[in-house]
Every structure is written in C-alpha cells, then in structure tokens.
C-alpha cells in the first residue's frame, strides 16, 4: 500500500512551499507568548505584557482576513511582501522598544502594526488546493497541514519561552521574527506553486464571511478553540491543586499528541462519507469526550481523559477546511480559510478567559464545564447547519471533475 503523504509531496514544488510555510507559521505560536515572556522579564509587569500581547493577537484576528481577501484579489506575492515587511519591522521595533526602555505607547503601536502578519496556514492550504482541487489527495494535504499546525503549537510556545528564559528576554521574539522574515521570503519566492488569481464571479463580491458556510464553520470552531484553551488552563490549575504542577506540560502534550496522531491517520484514509457528516461526527465525539474531564481527579486520569478528548480535534479541522474549499467560491478561498482560523484563535482567547474565571470562582475541576458547554454549542451549530454545509450548487465545479459525494 502506497504512503498517501509521500504521494502528495511528489507534486512539483510541494516540499519547498510546505517547508517554508512551516517556518513562516511558527510565529503564530511563538509571538503571543513570546511578547509576554519578553515584557514580563524585561519590565516586570505582567499586566502590561498581557495587554500588549492581547493587542497583537486580537488585531491580527481582525486584520488577517482582510489581508487574505486582498491575496485572493491580487495574488500572494503582491500582498504578502508589503504585509510581511511591515510586520517584521514592527516586531523589530517592539524588541528595540523593550530593550531600550522606550515609552509604553511604542509597545502598543508596534504590536498593532505587527498584526499585519499574513495567515501563512491559509496561504499554504491555498497552494495545496491549487494542486489537488477536487481530488482525494487534497484531504491528505489538509491532514498534513493540521498536523503541522499541531506541531507549531506544541513546539512554538515552549521554544519561545525557553529561549527567553535561557538566554535573554528578547531571544524568543528575535527568533520568532527571523522565522517570519526568512520563512516568508522563501515561501514568496516559490512562484511556480502560487495560486492564480481568479475573477470574482457575478454575485460573489464582498467578504467571505458573508457566505453562510463560512459563518457556520467559523462559529462552530470558535467553541472548538474554547475547548482547546480550556484544557490547557484547567490542566494547569488541576495539576497545581494536586501538588504536581510539573505534570501540566505532560498533560497538555498528551492532548496535542492525541490530536496529531489521529489527524495523520484520518488523512491517510480515503473516506467516502460526505464532509458535512464527517464534521458532525467529529464534533459529536469532541462534545461527548468533554464529559469524562469532569471526573478526572488524578494526574493519570486527567492525562487519559485529555488524550481521549483531543482525538477528534484534528479530524474536525481537516473536514472544516475541506468544506471551506468545496463550499466557498474559488476567488474567496484564502479569506475563507483565514476566517475559520481566526475563529479558532478567538475561541482560544475566550475559552482561556472563561475557564480562568470559572477556576478562580468555582474550583479547578469545574473549569472543564466550559468545555462541556462549548462542545454542546459547537455540535448544535454543525447539526443545524447540515443542509447549508451540504451546499448543493454553492460552488460550481469544473465539468470534467468528479462531483463530491454527498
């Protein structure tokens, strides 16, 4: 039996843009926590560190879809070059402002401008789509990208904090900025795999967020992101309460590993079930597996429950992005993918806040009730949106291409 992952990398240029894209997306995980580590160590003020980091993250969540919309209209290189230059320059200014003790307003101004950082995962998925549009290999490519995203979030944050603690406060942000600069440059220079710009069809103007499938999937994944963040916050709180705070990183790592492994397996399968039904099943599994978390009162049980809870995360992302590819007009693909990723990020921010509030007021174990509620809302959203996500005729396919099974 052939390895489906080996097959997708036989496409000309695939190895190059995938490798460059991996490096360029590391700042997604490194920058937010890197800003906190840098400012908290250099200035000793956690509230300021958190505020500057939140300014960057929330602004990027709003700006990235607009940048991706321009990418769909003008092409990756024409938009990514100026956006990346502004972001790299702003990150450099933020590092300098921290090191030289510049006024506080310069920290916030730099964070605002740094938020022009493009959504590299969306750009990479757009290239895979250009190569494998309406072919089963696209599912494998999306699975690989979901696994890559998992690796980024597993390794990026720990590397950023580790560098800042081991070397000097600005080290994590410096390395993150270098990854963004050189990774993006390598990605942009690979013009042979850049998706061609497609004209906007009649009635297809405006933003991708006005498309019903994008709204449904983005809203559902806001709550999936909340589950992801709640697991991290609650794991830290519970292991501390149990007198084993060092076990938190192990528990969180198990969560990500479960999602990573199952995602790779799903990507290797050529499932025939309609994508909207696959999404409903994956989200249903996530919702059900939040329940054992409520009774996990030892580190071993917590690790086991968290592992089980994470197994359907990657399959959810894989099918969600697959639906975006099929249900959104081709001229809006990059923006559509970016809105979904923005939803995940917003959910993680809201989930961390909600879980922290519940833990502070009702105890560490009760933090997982946020996961239960979020899982239920996400499942209801997907179930109610099944007819829309089935999407008969939402995007016309080439006449010679096989129609996706519904």
């Amino acid at each position: 039996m052939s390895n489906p992952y080996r097959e997708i990398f036989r496409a000309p240029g695939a190895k190059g843009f995938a490798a460059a894209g991996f490096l360029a997306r590391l700042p997604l995980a490194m920058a937010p926590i890197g800003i906190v580590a840098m400012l908290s160590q250099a200035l000793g003020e956690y509230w300021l560190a958190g505020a500057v980091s939140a300014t960057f993250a929330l602004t990027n969540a709003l700006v990235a879809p607009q940048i991706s919309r321009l990418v769909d209209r003008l092409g990756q290189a024409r938009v990514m070059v100026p956006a990346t230059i502004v972001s790299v320059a702003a990150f450099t200014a933020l590092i300098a402002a921290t090191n030289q003790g510049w006024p506080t307003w310069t920290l916030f101004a730099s964070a605002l401008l740094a938020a022009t950082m493009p959504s590299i995962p969306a750009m990479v998925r757009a290239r895979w789509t250009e190569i494998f549009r309406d072919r089963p290999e696209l599912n494998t490519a999306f699975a690989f990208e979901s696994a890559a995203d998992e690796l980024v979030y597993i390794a990026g944050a720990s590397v950023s904090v580790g560098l800042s603690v081991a070397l000097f406060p600005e080290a994590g942000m410096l390395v993150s900025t270098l990854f963004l600069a050189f990774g993006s440059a390598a990605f942009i220079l690979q013009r042979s795999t850049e998706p061609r710009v497609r004209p906007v069809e009649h009635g297809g103007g405006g933003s991708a967020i006005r498309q019903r499938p994008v709204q449904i999937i983005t809203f559902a994944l806001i709550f999936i992101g909340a589950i992801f963040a709640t697991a991290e916050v609650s794991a830290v709180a519970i292991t501390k309460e149990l007198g084993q705070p060092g076990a938190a990183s192990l528990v969180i790592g198990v969560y990500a590993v479960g999602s990573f492994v199952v995602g790779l397996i799903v990507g290797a399968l050529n499932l025939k079930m309609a994508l909207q039904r696959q999404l409903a099943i994956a989200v249903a599994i996530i919702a059900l597996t939040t329940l054992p978390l409520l009774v996990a009162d030892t580190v071993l049980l917590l690790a086991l429950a968290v592992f089980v809870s994470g197994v359907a995360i990657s399959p959810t992302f894989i099918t969600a992005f697959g639906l975006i590819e099929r249900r959104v007009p081709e001229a809006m693909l990059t923006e559509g993918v970016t809105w979904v990723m923005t939803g995940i990020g917003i959910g993680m921010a809201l989930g961390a806040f909600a879980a922290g509030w519940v833990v502070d007021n009702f105890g560490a174990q009760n933090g997982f009730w946020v996961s239960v509620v979020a899982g239920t809302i996400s499942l209801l959203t997907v179930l109610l949106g099944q007819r829309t996500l089935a999407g008969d005729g939402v995007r016309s396919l080439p006449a010679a291409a096989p129609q996706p099974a519904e």
Side-chain angles (χ1 to χ4, degrees):
M1 181 179 177
S2 61
N3 184 337
Y5 292 100
R6 185 183 296 119
E7 294 298 319
I8 63 173
F9 283 108
R10 287 180 177 173
K15 292 179 182 177
F17 77 72
F22 183 83
L23 290 179
R25 86 179 74 182
L26 279 168
L28 286 173
M30 294 183 70
I33 191 65
I35 292 173
V36 172
M38 176 177 71
L39 293 177
S40 62
Q41 288 187 84
L43 306 179
E45 296 182 88
Y46 283 92
W47 73 267
L48 178 61
V52 174
S53 180
T55 298
F56 163 74
L58 293 176
T59 305
N60 182 250
L62 295 173
V63 171
Q66 312 313 317
I67 292 174
S68 292
R69 184 181 178 187
L70 289 175
V71 166
D72 285 328
R73 302 292 187 270
L74 303 174
Q76 290 188 352
R78 289 182 62 186
V79 177
M80 285 185 66
V81 170
T84 304
I85 289 174
V86 171
S87 185
V88 169
F91 277 130
T92 303
L94 179 59
I95 294 169
T98 303
N99 183 266
Q100 299 299 313
W102 293 354
T104 299
W105 70 264
T106 62
L107 302 176
F108 287 96
S110 299
L112 279 170
L113 291 173
T116 59
M117 183 174 71
S119 176
I120 299 298
M123 310 296 170
V124 176
R125 284 176 170 89
R127 295 200 180 203
W128 284 120
T129 302
E130 186 76 4
I131 296 172
F132 296 122
R133 190 181 303 276
D134 304 319
R135 292 168 55 184
E137 290 91 340
L138 186 58
N139 183 68
T140 303
F142 281 175
F144 173 80
E145 290 306 314
S146 293
D149 288 337
E150 294 284 355
L151 284 178
V152 164
Y153 284 105
I154 292 171
S158 58
V159 168
S160 186
V161 173
L163 288 171
S164 293
V165 172
L167 300 178
F168 50 91
E170 300 85 2
M173 281 305 301
L174 178 60
V175 172
S176 173
T177 304
L178 291 174
F179 278 142
L180 176 62
F182 289 103
S184 296
F187 185 80
I188 293 166
L189 288 172
Q190 299 179 62
R191 302 298 298 274
S192 64
T193 54
E194 181 177 346
R196 65 182 178 87
V197 176
R198 287 174 167 79
V200 178
E201 299 174 0
H202 178 69
S207 172
I209 197 61
R210 298 175 68 179
Q211 300 282 320
R212 287 291 293 163
V214 177
Q215 293 173 358
I216 292 168
I217 294 173
T218 300
F219 187 74
L221 263 61
I222 285 175
F223 294 96
I224 298 299
I227 293 172
F228 198 82
T230 299
E232 296 180 348
V233 172
S234 297
V236 170
I238 291 174
T239 52
K240 181 179 180 180
E241 191 174 82
L242 292 172
Q244 301 179 61
S249 58
L250 173 63
V251 172
I252 295 170
V254 165
Y255 186 60
V257 167
S259 176
F260 174 79
V261 171
V262 175
L264 288 178
I265 293 172
V266 170
L269 302 175
N270 185 16
L271 299 176
K272 303 299 184 183
M273 182 184 298
L275 284 176
Q276 73 274 4
R277 294 174 189 161
Q278 292 184 42
L279 180 63
I281 292 172
V283 174
I285 292 172
I286 291 176
L288 288 172
T289 53
T290 59
L291 297 175
L293 295 169
L294 298 173
V295 295
D297 55 1
T298 69
V299 170
L300 180 60
L301 286 176
L302 180 62
L304 180 60
V306 164
F307 176 84
V308 172
S309 178
V311 296
I313 294 291
S314 275
T316 298
F317 291 167
I318 294 166
T319 52
F321 290 122
L323 280 165
I324 290 293
E325 186 274 327
R326 294 191 183 186
R327 305 301 177 231
V328 174
E330 294 176 3
M332 296 181 173
L333 176 63
T334 309
E335 186 193 354
V337 171
T338 304
W339 273 115
V340 173
M341 300 206 68
T342 295
I344 297 169
I346 291 173
M348 291 181 68
L350 294 176
F353 174 79
W357 183 85
V358 172
V359 167
D360 286 340
N361 289 276
F362 301 101
Q365 195 70 51
N366 286 314
F368 283 120
W369 278 107
V370 176
S371 294
V372 174
V373 173
T376 302
I377 296 173
S378 182
L379 177 58
L380 289 174
T381 301
V382 172
L383 291 177
L384 292 172
Q386 284 290 288
R387 184 174 180 179
T388 299
L389 295 178
D392 295 330
V394 170
R395 174 171 68 80
S396 59
L397 299 175
Q403 296 292 329
E406 300 296 350

